[in-house]
């Protein structure tokens, strides 16, 4: 099975745009909810992702970002 590199090249801007939306949502949630209880952070993050039109994120990734925002907000990848 071979991969057409033009398909890969065409997908890169789409993936990058989606990741930028996720990053904005995480940054916004961190700035408003850093150190708060996970039960408050996760719904805020879900809302921020929806606001960015980036709700298609693996639930475990949302959970991990919410946990880090709650417990260790300075230890995020961006």
């Amino acid at each position: 099975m071979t991969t057409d590199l033009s398909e890969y090249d065409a997908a890169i801007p789409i993936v990058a745009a989606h990741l930028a939306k996720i990053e904005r949502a995480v940054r916004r949630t961190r700035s408003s909810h850093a150190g708060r209880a996970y039960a408050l952070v996760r719904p805020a993050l879900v809302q921020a992702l929806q606001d960015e039109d980036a709700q298609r994120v693996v639930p475990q990734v949302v959970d991990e970002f919410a946990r880090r925002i709650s417990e260790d907000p300075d230890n995020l990848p961006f």
Side-chain angles (χ1 to χ4, degrees):
M1 181 168 133
T2 62
T3 302
D4 182 358
L5 292 180
S6 66
E7 290 179 24
Y8 177 81
D9 290 339
I12 292 298
I14 296 166
V15 172
H18 186 68
L19 290 174
K21 291 177 182 182
I22 294 169
E23 182 176 350
R24 283 192 301 269
V26 170
R27 284 180 186 269
R28 190 168 81 218
T29 305
R30 179 177 60 187
S31 71
S32 63
H33 286 75
R36 293 189 183 184
Y38 174 88
L40 296 173
V41 173
R42 192 177 193 291
L45 178 56
V46 168
Q47 183 61 55
L49 289 165
Q50 289 174 352
D51 293 348
E52 288 289 341
D53 193 28
Q55 56 271 21
R56 292 183 60 189
V57 178
V58 177
Q60 292 86 347
V61 172
V62 176
D63 292 343
E64 181 62 16
F65 275 128
R67 184 192 66 75
R68 286 188 182 191
I69 291 168
S70 176
E71 297 174 4
D72 193 8
D74 294 327
N75 188 20
L76 288 166
F78 33 76

